Amino acid sequence: MPAPLPSLATQAAHLVELGLLTDHGTLDPAALHSAAAELARRAPEGSLLVVHPRHLPPSSLAPHLRRQVRTRSGTDERPGFVVVDMPDVDAFAPTGVDEPTSDVYAVVGPDRGDDLANWSPAEASPEIAGRGRSPLTLAEGLHWVLQDPTALERNRCFMTIGSRLRKPDGSFDTRTPAVWISNGTGRGGIERRGAAKVGWCWWGNRHTWLGFASAAARLA
């Protein structure tokens, strides 16, 4: 199971230490620390700190994911990646989710949704809503794995159906984003085996190893 998340202040420091704000972001580290301190006065323990994707889009977060992989010579730390057939990853926007407009916000009660494994996104969406929760966006899911790599486990990974892509005609693209552990097959390459992988699955398909990450609330 995922480990308990550290304090929001610790999470903010981790994002700064990773170089995310200086390498990719448009948010000042001081502003991030200030926002985390303010949110900490209201957010319950175990909340997740999220920088709005206008500052840190998913494509900038994925390469900073890290997983330790055992090799014949010892261990290797492998960075995350986005599958090559998802060049439009940042175009998957919050859908059916009340995403705060603030630069920084907190996700309350993130859950991996293991009990929904082998449900399709079409089936899981109304179930999550019926529980009074909302699905995580892709950016939120990536922030979670950045803070806690154990949020991904073999056969216990998750979809982020709070992000969807609209086609020019207004209909939805049937791809739905997910985060899982690469098996090193296909175009990902054997050198990426064990790395965190950002990819997609079909809206109507089921997968035994993918749950549906969700949140109890969001605080801005």
Side-chain angles (χ1 to χ4, degrees):
M1 293 293 292
L5 284 166
S7 69
L8 297 186
T10 299
Q11 292 181 48
H14 183 55
L15 294 177
V16 173
E17 289 166 1
L18 288 174
L20 277 164
L21 299 186
T22 53
D23 292 348
H24 307 285
T26 55
L27 181 68
D28 183 81
L32 173 61
H33 284 294
S34 176
E38 195 282 326
L39 285 166
R41 289 192 283 268
R42 297 179 288 115
E45 186 176 345
S47 295
L48 172 68
L49 190 71
V50 175
V51 176
H52 197 283
R54 68 172 168 268
H55 295 294
L56 292 176
S59 63
S60 71
L61 297 174
H64 289 269
L65 303 178
R66 293 290 186 272
R67 293 194 77 256
Q68 294 290 332
V69 179
R70 291 183 179 179
T71 66
R72 292 180 178 178
S73 58
T75 60
D76 184 22
E77 186 177 75
R78 295 186 176 171
F81 67 101
V82 180
V83 294
V84 296
D85 54 353
M86 204 176 183
D88 50 0
V89 62
D90 293 335
F92 284 74
T95 304
V97 171
D98 188 17
E99 181 190 56
T101 59
S102 57
D103 292 334
V104 184
Y105 64 94
V107 169
V108 179
D111 183 87
R112 199 166 57 187
D114 291 352
D115 65 311
L116 297 176
N118 210 31
W119 291 45
S120 71
E123 294 164 337
S125 181
E127 175 66 19
I128 292 170
R131 297 178 182 184
R133 299 177 63 86
S134 64
L136 290 195
T137 66
L138 177 57
E140 292 167 351
L142 293 176
H143 272 281
W144 191 8
V145 181
L146 276 171
Q147 298 292 348
D148 175 22
T150 69
L152 291 184
E153 298 178 81
R154 283 285 177 193
N155 300 314
R156 291 291 185 272
C157 300
F158 58 85
M159 300 192 71
T160 54
I161 61 174
S163 294
R164 298 200 68 187
L165 176 64
R166 281 195 183 273
K167 297 179 180 179
D169 64 4
S171 65
F172 282 113
D173 191 297
T174 53
R175 293 174 297 163
T176 50
V179 190
W180 69 92
I181 299 171
S182 173
N183 283 326
T185 58
R187 287 179 287 180
I190 190 63
E191 69 278 3
R192 284 174 163 165
R193 178 176 173 81
K197 176 178 179 177
V198 179
W200 55 268
C201 300
W202 299 117
W203 180 255
N205 285 7
R206 300 185 182 112
H207 298 277
T208 59
W209 41 276
L210 287 174
F212 292 84
S214 66
R218 294 171 177 84
L219 296 176

